[in-house]
Amino acid sequence: MNVEPLNDTTVLVVGAGIMGAGIAQVAAQAGHPVMLFDMRAGAALDARDKLAASLQALVAKGKLQAEAVAQTLARIAAIESLQQAAGAGLVVEAIVEKLDAKRGLFHALEGIVSATCILATNTSSISVTAIANGLQHPGRLVGMHFFNPVPLMKLVEVVSGLQTNPAVAEAIYALSKRWGKVAVHARSTPGFIVNRIARPFYAEALALLQEQAATPAVLDACVRAAGFRMGPCELMDLIGHDTNFAVTQSVFEANFFDKRYQPSLVQRELVDGGLLGRKTGQGFYSYAEGAAKPTINAFSAAALPPFNSLCLHGSGALAEALLAALPSDAAVQRAPDSDWTGFAIDGCQLRLTDGRCATQLGADVAVFDLPLQGPGSTPGSAQQALAWAPSARAAAAWTAQAALWLQALGLNPQRVADTPGLVLARTIAMLVNEAADAVHQGVCSADAANAAMQLGVNYPAGPFAWLQLWGAPSVCQLLDALDAHYRGERYRVSPWLRQQQWSA
Ligand code: NAD
């Protein structure tokens, strides 16, 4: 197949729902003539009218030029029959998420468009290989996966199925960039990049809720403190538990029920009960009028408690960040070769979690979560919420002291159950592990995973940036501890990550 550059080509968008309307807007703003089709009579015209109203509202606010908007709208034609689209050089499909419907549509289109027209699908979960099955020219079908809302979200996953012609994927990659997007290549595997790597962000919170380790408000605060725009519970409420559960279920099933992706009973209950989140007024939180958002305990900064001996254990960026959080005149010794990171204070230990529970580590021990406010940043800069847990065998005096020490380091300590890997450490480790496995299986490059997670779901950093900060040995140690604690497949270390650990 001869793949022509798509610079001025006519774009047919099929499906005039949320995604199709956004794709039509972006294509028209980039200068393409656009045809918009929907099987529901009048839907394409309605979508165009809605788009016109929203763009004109932006003109009224001074955010867009009236002339540019008029030109954009003049390029979009709502069509009532696919037969009118014979001249299209690119089709972007954004219809219902059903394999048979998508296959049927592309089969019909092959009888209408030219043999050189590229066929792109915006599917978020169906195999691109499967959609192409049965086409006369399966090589021209490619995934072009946008994120919602299309005009604002920068990422496009360019997804290649088994038969996708690499030149077709390259043409869509180049076109996405022309449209002002950041494109990443992905191999067609369940969840592609973002929806796969993001699973543990929700799954770890749900697992912690299932074992009653913390409240949704505490989990959200601890995750937000690391620079995420939203915590997992509030984000699931926003996405809708039905949608989030369906994506998890589809990734789980598509991976032949690999336990790593097992959906959660906690979320299943919410779905069964119709507590779908914001859209029904109740999920983890209530969205009823006047409902107060639950708050967490906020501790103000404390002075360093009195001590006789203080020693900082460990080395590396996190140990240095802990040191920097101490007052400059604090008399602190160093034990850089120690096999743990944190402070020994008068015979008690305040340790960065390594995945083991505090109770497992001893009596006068408390563990605290990864103080991660984006790579390279230091704890102590803000009142950031940080999970911690004392040993069940700790004396009451040490438990009180440990919390005061965390406050003195500028943290906002949130006591949670003595659970392995606490909140953030286990979440970040699992995100890194999933990204590592995606690279291991050739789904994407490490750079693509970093870009995809930052631009597709607004993570404050990419998983491989966290890996660099934290180090493969520590991430593997944490996952191994989780694996030993829970048994089962969920926390098994990616072979790629294990290689990094051995090479470190
Ligand atoms: P939507 O329900 O808002 O719109 C789908 C539209 O397609 C409807 O207007 C419907 O009438 C039309 N349609 C259905 N079958 C059709 C057919 N055979 N021919 C022509 N039109 C048909 O859905 P959406 O949220 O815009 O999602 C569309 C696609 O984009 C799905 O594949 C979805 O998985 C994917 N996607 C959605 C999101 C999201 O956040 N909504 C994000 C990325 C990808």
Side-chain angles (χ1 to χ4, degrees):
M1 177 184 170
N2 191 15
V3 181
E4 311 261 321
L6 294 165
N7 294 357
D8 305 310
T9 202
T10 297
V11 178
L12 166 66
V13 178
V14 188
I18 303 175
M19 297 303 286
I23 296 165
Q25 177 188 335
V26 169
Q29 282 175 327
H32 297 262
V34 176
M35 289 182 277
L36 183 59
F37 173 79
D38 198 286
M39 73 188 292
R40 251 184 329 112
L45 204 56
D46 284 352
R48 192 185 173 286
D49 289 347
K50 255 201 214 155
L51 177 61
S54 71
L55 291 180
Q56 267 139 17
L58 290 173
V59 171
K61 283 189 193 159
K63 294 195 171 159
L64 288 178
Q65 299 278 339
E67 200 183 327
V69 165
Q71 284 172 356
T72 298
L73 292 170
R75 290 188 198 112
I76 303 177
I79 59 170
E80 287 295 318
S81 160
L82 277 182
Q83 299 298 333
Q84 293 170 256
L90 167 68
V91 177
V92 185
E93 166 275 310
I95 67 166
V96 62
E97 186 73 344
K98 288 199 173 133
L99 176 59
D100 286 351
K102 291 187 193 285
R103 269 190 187 155
L105 172 71
F106 284 119
H107 181 74
L109 282 167
E110 277 202 315
I112 298 169
V113 297
S114 74
T116 54
C117 176
I118 290 181
L119 305 179
T121 171
N122 183 45
T123 180
S124 34
S125 63
I126 302 175
S127 153
V128 172
T129 304
I131 296 173
N133 186 358
L135 289 184
Q136 285 168 39
H137 304 292
R140 62 162 141 171
L141 189 111
V142 64
M144 188 177 194
H145 185 212
F146 290 88
F147 289 74
N148 187 15
V150 178
L152 296 184
M153 298 299 284
K154 282 271 176 208
L155 184 69
V156 174
E157 292 179 341
V158 179
V159 186
S160 292
L162 268 187
Q163 301 195 73
T164 303
N165 179 343
V168 167
E170 284 309 329
I172 292 297
Y173 184 92
L175 184 73
S176 304
K177 282 171 67 172
R178 264 198 78 225
W179 289 5
K181 302 295 182 192
V182 173
V184 291
H185 284 291
R187 215 159 55 77
S188 182
T189 45
F192 311 140
I193 305 176
V194 171
N195 278 338
R196 173 204 181 128
I197 297 177
R199 291 339 307 147
F201 186 72
Y202 314 107
E204 290 311 307
L206 291 164
L208 288 165
L209 289 170
Q210 184 155 6
E211 58 183 74
Q212 311 282 302
T215 62
V218 165
L219 294 176
D220 282 344
C222 290
V223 172
R224 255 188 277 114
F228 290 85
R229 287 195 198 165
M230 294 180 90
C233 301
E234 55 197 355
L235 183 54
M236 283 184 272
D237 269 7
L238 177 69
I239 294 169
H241 289 282
D242 50 346
T243 306
N244 191 259
F245 186 75
V247 177
T248 307
Q249 183 93 0
S250 113
V251 172
F252 179 51
E253 285 172 10
N255 280 292
F256 305 111
F257 304 99
D258 183 337
K259 295 268 191 214
R260 176 180 277 169
Y261 306 104
Q262 187 169 293
S264 159
L265 277 179
V266 171
Q267 194 166 43
R268 176 71 185 268
E269 278 282 290
L270 290 169
V271 174
D272 286 352
L275 307 173
L276 305 182
R278 277 180 194 240
K279 60 184 167 191
T280 60
Q282 176 75 51
F284 288 121
Y285 303 109
S286 169
Y287 300 91
E289 241 192 275
K293 209 167 187 275
T295 52
I296 57 162
N297 291 329
F299 298 100
S300 50
L304 218 53
F307 61 88
N308 293 317
S309 74
L310 175 66
C311 180
L312 174 63
H313 284 240
S315 58
L318 290 168
E320 293 313 315
L322 288 173
L323 183 66
L326 285 176
S328 54
D329 59 351
V332 58
Q333 297 168 305
R334 299 285 307 253
D337 298 329
S338 174
D339 61 359
W340 57 276
T341 299
F343 294 109
I345 306 156
D346 295 338
C348 300
Q349 294 179 359
L350 185 58
R351 299 170 59 132
L352 175 68
T353 178
D354 65 7
R356 287 175 291 174
C357 297
T359 311
Q360 190 181 355
L361 291 167
D364 288 327
V365 176
V367 289
F368 61 90
D369 211 346
L370 194 62
L372 185 79
Q373 213 189 21
S377 74
T378 54
S381 53
Q383 284 290 301
Q384 37 170 324
L386 192 88
W388 75 286
S391 165
R393 296 181 274 149
W398 167 238
T399 299
Q401 280 277 307
L404 282 177
W405 271 88
L406 290 170
Q407 280 174 251
L409 291 168
L411 299 161
N412 181 1
Q414 299 296 316
R415 186 168 167 181
V416 301
D418 185 20
T419 184
L422 296 169
V423 177
L424 199 61
R426 65 151 72 184
T427 303
I428 298 287
M430 286 294 277
L431 291 170
V432 169
N433 197 42
E434 201 51 54
D437 233 27
V439 169
H440 183 61
Q441 293 167 8
V443 175
C444 62
S445 66
D447 285 347
N450 279 340
M453 301 318 287
Q454 288 176 92
L455 299 173
V457 271
N458 295 320
Y459 284 3
F464 292 95
W466 288 320
L467 177 61
Q468 209 176 357
L469 173 78
W470 199 1
S474 301
V475 178
C476 287
Q477 186 183 21
L478 193 112
L479 290 169
D480 284 337
L482 282 157
D483 190 45
H485 190 87
Y486 290 108
R487 314 255 163 156
E489 291 295 302
R490 183 170 214 112
Y491 297 101
R492 68 172 189 269
V493 170
S494 161
W496 188 94
L497 199 54
R498 192 67 84 193
Q499 289 283 349
Q500 301 294 308
Q501 178 193 16
W502 292 332
S503 325

